Each structure stands twice: as C-alpha cells, then as structure tokens.
C-alpha cells in the first residue's frame, strides 16, 4: 500500500482538475490517519513552518539551492553564502526545513549528512512572486477578536492589522510607505492566481463588448489594476481589437507598471469619481474582497456615474459556495478579515 501511494505521487495526473481532487483526497487521508498526538503536533507547530520559510527566504536559501541545478550543497557552503551562524543554520534551521511536511514532500531535501538539495517546493519558494504570498502575518487576530468580544471586524482602520503592526494606519496606506512590503504585495497580487483560468477564459469579451469600436473608444479600464497583468493579457488575447485599454491605480503602483504596447497608464484613486466616461468594461480584480459592503458600494457608485448604456462592470472575485466551501478559499477569507476587515463573499451574500 505504501509503495502504491508513493507511486501515485510520482505519476500524478497532468490535468489540473484531477490533480486537485487527488491532492484533496491525499490531504484528507493524512487527517484520517492522525492519532490525537499527531493532531496536536500538526496544529501546535504550524507557525514553525511559516516562520522557517520566512527566514529561509530572508537568507536566500531557496534561491541558492534552486540555482544549484540539482547539485547538493553542504552546510558550510550555505553558511559561506548566507553569512549565517553555522550552529543556527545547521542544527536548528535546515533540519526543520528538511523535515517539514514529511513524509509528503520536503521544503528542502536532505541528501546526506550536512548535504542538502532543492526539492520542487524549494524551487517554488525561490520564485519571488510566489514567495511574496508567504510574507503575511495574522498572529494578532486571536487577541484582537477576544478584545472586541468576537464581533466581525468591519472597519479597515480597526482590525487585527493595526495591533499586529503597531500602527494606526489602514493597510494600504501603511504598505505604501514601506518599499519592501509594497514590492512583495505587488508581486503576490501578480502571482496569486498562477495556473488558474483567467477572466478571459470564461467571459465572452469580444462577442459581448467589441462591437462598433473605433481607436478612441474606451474599451477596457482596469480599476486598481496593479502592475497591469490583466491589461497585458487582454492585449495578448486580442491584439487587433481597436479601442483604448487603460490601467488605473495609485501613482506609487503605476510607476512600477509593466510597459505594454497599447496600454495607457493613469494614476487614479477609486474613492474619487471615475474620469473615464462611457467605457465598455470597468474591470476590478481582487478589489471587492478587500472591503466591507458599504465601502464596495462607494467604489461601485463612482464607476456607475461614468457608465453609459453600453458599459458593464466586471468583478473578478472569488465567490464561495453556500456550503462545502473549499479550504483554499476559506483561508483567504480569514486573511482578508484579519488584514482588511473584509471578506470573500458567498453566493448568498
């Protein structure tokens, strides 16, 4: 039986739907096999994993091992490259990273005494955009909820983020003044749905919106669009469709936008009236889930005032089923509640 299970891991399905079903089944199996002691070890020491991964990223360990092209590296080599203490790196830290998630897949592979190599997880964590998604922290949430008598937070100026970061600022203002955090935020927003379908795969954009266009028609406005990946995707999918494609975000973000032929960049704060009138599509990705209902209504009102009879609003957000919501979605729901007093909305909501 053990050999069969190990074989499944080495010959995983190629299509993503089957792979995810197998992954969830395997995850359920590990829970079903737990004894009480196993359960406590898994839950009590979960923070060790994110802490170790965060430190490993800060030291550049994952990039070093991923760049070694399959070769192993000794503790001494890693100490020389990172300037970390030998005892800390060799006995406390690398040992943890090479045993985390055992016996499934290891964050770092131990291939001999004091010898380590990259696993496929190491290579994932060496990708800046994906690693940026780890660099969040919500450990202030339990005390915050206790202090507020377990009321659902609805004010982004008063949620777990403020005590967690010892600040009075709302998250999006806080991050703007911290270049490293801001860079990680933008990287993660760009990479957070890697490998998934994008909106262009499910919405008939050309058939629905691309009639009677001319070069001056505002075709697509990406409101709060970050670095411009969705504008880039639209131009790549439909390079010959006329009309203006406009990326809007705060000035600090727009300065880092991806240069894309045919895409205009425009500094814009979506708490103010929308300056582009009569666009065919006003698109928002991962915006609504950042705010409670009344704030979302304000954003929508600012767009609605600019719309004409041919305009639509495209909201690209996760919608949770009313029952049996997937764990990938519910953990994100907890994150946005902790950091932003917001939510992933259900079908009913």
């Amino acid at each position: 039986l053990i050999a069969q299970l190990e074989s499944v891991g080495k010959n995983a399905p190629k299509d993503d739907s089957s792979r995810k079903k197998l992954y969830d089944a395997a995850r359920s199996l590990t829970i079903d096999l737990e004894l009480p002691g196993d359960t406590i070890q898994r839950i009590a020491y979960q923070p060790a994993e994110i802490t170790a991964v965060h430190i490993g990223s800060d030291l550049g360990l994952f990039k070093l091992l991923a760049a070694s092209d399959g070769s192993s590296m000794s503790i001494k080599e890693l100490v020389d490259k990172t300037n970390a203490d030998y005892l800390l790196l060799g006995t406390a830290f690398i040992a943890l990273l090479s045993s985390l998630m055992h016996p499934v897949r290891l964050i770092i592979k131990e291939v001999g005494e004091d010898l380590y190599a990259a696993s496929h997880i190491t290579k994932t964590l060496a990708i800046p955009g994906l690693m940026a998604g780890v660099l969040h922290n919500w450990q202030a949430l339990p005390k915050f909820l206790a202090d507020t008598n377990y009321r659902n937070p609805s004010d982004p100026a008063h949620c777990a983020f403020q005590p967690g970061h010892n600040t009075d600022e709302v998250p999006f203002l806080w991050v703007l003044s911290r270049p490293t955090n801001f860079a990680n935020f933008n990287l993660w927003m760009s990479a957070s749905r890697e490998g998934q379908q994008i909106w262009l795969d499910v919405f008939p954009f050309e058939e629905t919106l691309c009639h009677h266009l001319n070069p001056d028609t505002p075709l697509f406005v990406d409101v709060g669009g970050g670095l411009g990946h969705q504008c880039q995707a639209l131009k790549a999918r439909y390079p010959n469709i006329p009309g203006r494609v406009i990326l809007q975000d705060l000035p600090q973000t727009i300065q880092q936008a991806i240069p894309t032929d045919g895409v205009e960049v425009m500094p814009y704060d979506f708490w103010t009236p929308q300056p582009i009138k009569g666009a065919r599509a006003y698109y928002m990705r991962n915006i609504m889930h950042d705010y409670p209902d009344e704030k979302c209504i304000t954003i929508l009102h600012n767009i609605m005032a600019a719309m004409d009879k041919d305009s639509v609003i495209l909201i690209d957000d996760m919608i949770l089923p009313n029952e049996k919501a997937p764990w990938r979605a519910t953990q994100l729901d907890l994150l946005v509640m902790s950091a932003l007093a917001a939510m992933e909305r259900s079908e009913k909501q």
Side-chain angles (χ1 to χ4, degrees), residues 203 208-209 279-283 303 307-308 310-314:
F203 178 74
T208 305
L209 300 174
R280 294 294 172 86
Y282 297 93
Y283 169 87
I303 296 175
M307 297 171 70
D308 67 14
D310 294 319
S311 300
V312 299
I313 297 175
L314 300 177

Side-chain angles (χ1 to χ4, degrees), residues 32-50:
D32 291 340
L33 291 174
E34 282 185 352
L35 295 175
D38 301 322
T39 300
I40 296 305
Q41 286 284 321
R42 173 174 57 82
I43 294 173
Y45 288 96
Q46 278 180 343
E49 181 172 0
I50 191 169

Side-chain angles (χ1 to χ4, degrees), residues 220-289:
F220 180 77
V221 181
D222 190 354
V223 181
L227 303 186
H229 287 85
Q230 304 311 309
C231 291
Q232 185 183 55
L234 178 67
K235 294 299 291 185
R237 184 75 60 95
Y238 302 113
N240 299 317
I241 291 179
R244 298 168 63 196
V245 175
I246 302 162
L247 170 65
Q248 295 180 332
D249 212 308
L250 296 174
Q252 299 92 326
T253 302
I254 287 294
Q255 291 171 6
Q256 304 179 42
I258 303 165
T260 304
D261 287 344
V263 174
E264 305 173 38
V265 296
M266 174 183 292
Y268 171 62
D269 181 344
F270 50 55
W271 302 112
T272 64
Q274 171 59 244
I276 301 298
K277 309 298 183 183
R280 294 294 172 86
Y282 297 93
Y283 169 87
M284 290 180 288
R285 177 181 182 268
N286 289 353
I287 302 293
M288 297 288 102
H289 82 154

Side-chain angles (χ1 to χ4, degrees), residues 22-327:
L22 179 61
Y23 179 89
D24 289 339
R27 193 169 181 266
S28 295
L29 176 62
T30 64
I31 302 300
D32 291 340
L33 291 174
E34 282 185 352
L35 295 175
D38 301 322
T39 300
I40 296 305
Q41 286 284 321
R42 173 174 57 82
I43 294 173
Y45 288 96
Q46 278 180 343
E49 181 172 0
I50 191 169
T51 300
V53 167
H54 197 151
I55 296 168
S57 176
D58 290 345
L59 287 171
L61 280 177
F62 307 126
K63 289 182 179 179
L64 283 171
L65 289 167
S68 66
D69 199 25
S71 301
S72 61
M73 296 182 72
S74 68
I75 289 290
K76 185 178 185 308
E77 289 177 292
L78 292 170
V79 165
D80 290 343
K81 296 282 188 182
T82 63
N83 201 33
D85 180 79
Y86 188 96
L87 185 63
L88 174 72
L89 195 63
T91 60
F93 189 64
I94 287 280
L96 178 63
L97 285 170
S98 62
S99 61
L100 282 169
M101 300 179 67
H102 182 77
V104 188
R105 292 292 186 191
L106 306 178
I107 292 175
I108 289 175
K109 286 195 294 189
E110 184 177 14
V111 296
E113 184 176 355
D114 288 343
L115 285 175
Y116 298 89
S119 69
H120 80 285
I121 293 177
T122 313
K123 294 173 183 177
T124 295
L125 296 174
I127 300 170
L130 298 181
M131 183 59 212
V134 178
L135 304 178
H136 299 286
N137 193 327
W138 48 23
Q139 296 307 309
L141 183 61
K143 185 176 186 304
F144 172 83
L145 290 177
D147 289 345
T148 56
N149 295 315
Y150 297 96
R151 304 279 72 80
N152 189 66
S154 59
D155 180 0
H158 184 57
C159 60
F161 182 89
Q162 283 76 30
H165 291 278
N166 193 28
T167 181
D168 293 327
E169 293 182 296
V170 297
F172 289 118
L173 289 179
W174 181 91
V175 77
L176 288 175
S177 62
R178 290 160 176 81
T180 299
N181 299 86
F182 188 53
N184 282 327
F185 173 77
N186 283 324
L187 284 169
W188 178 233
M189 289 301 97
S190 301
S192 60
R193 296 193 194 177
E194 186 190 46
Q196 301 178 31
Q197 285 186 318
I198 66 171
W199 63 281
L200 288 166
D201 296 322
V202 297
F203 178 74
F205 184 84
E206 185 174 22
E207 298 90 327
T208 305
L209 300 174
C210 297
H211 48 87
H212 308 301
L213 295 174
N214 64 64
D216 296 324
T217 304
L219 174 61
F220 180 77
V221 181
D222 190 354
V223 181
L227 303 186
H229 287 85
Q230 304 311 309
C231 291
Q232 185 183 55
L234 178 67
K235 294 299 291 185
R237 184 75 60 95
Y238 302 113
N240 299 317
I241 291 179
R244 298 168 63 196
V245 175
I246 302 162
L247 170 65
Q248 295 180 332
D249 212 308
L250 296 174
Q252 299 92 326
T253 302
I254 287 294
Q255 291 171 6
Q256 304 179 42
I258 303 165
T260 304
D261 287 344
V263 174
E264 305 173 38
V265 296
M266 174 183 292
Y268 171 62
D269 181 344
F270 50 55
W271 302 112
T272 64
Q274 171 59 244
I276 301 298
K277 309 298 183 183
R280 294 294 172 86
Y282 297 93
Y283 169 87
M284 290 180 288
R285 177 181 182 268
N286 289 353
I287 302 293
M288 297 288 102
H289 82 154
D290 286 341
Y291 297 100
D293 288 353
E294 64 273 14
K295 298 291 186 181
C296 292
I297 290 169
T298 298
I299 296 170
L300 291 170
H301 278 165
N302 285 331
I303 296 175
M304 290 168 64
M307 297 171 70
D308 67 14
K309 61 181 179 62
D310 294 319
S311 300
V312 299
I313 297 175
L314 300 177
I315 298 175
D316 189 356
D317 254 16
M318 187 183 300
I319 303 296
L320 305 186
N322 291 327
E323 59 180 347
K324 297 182 179 178
W327 61 269

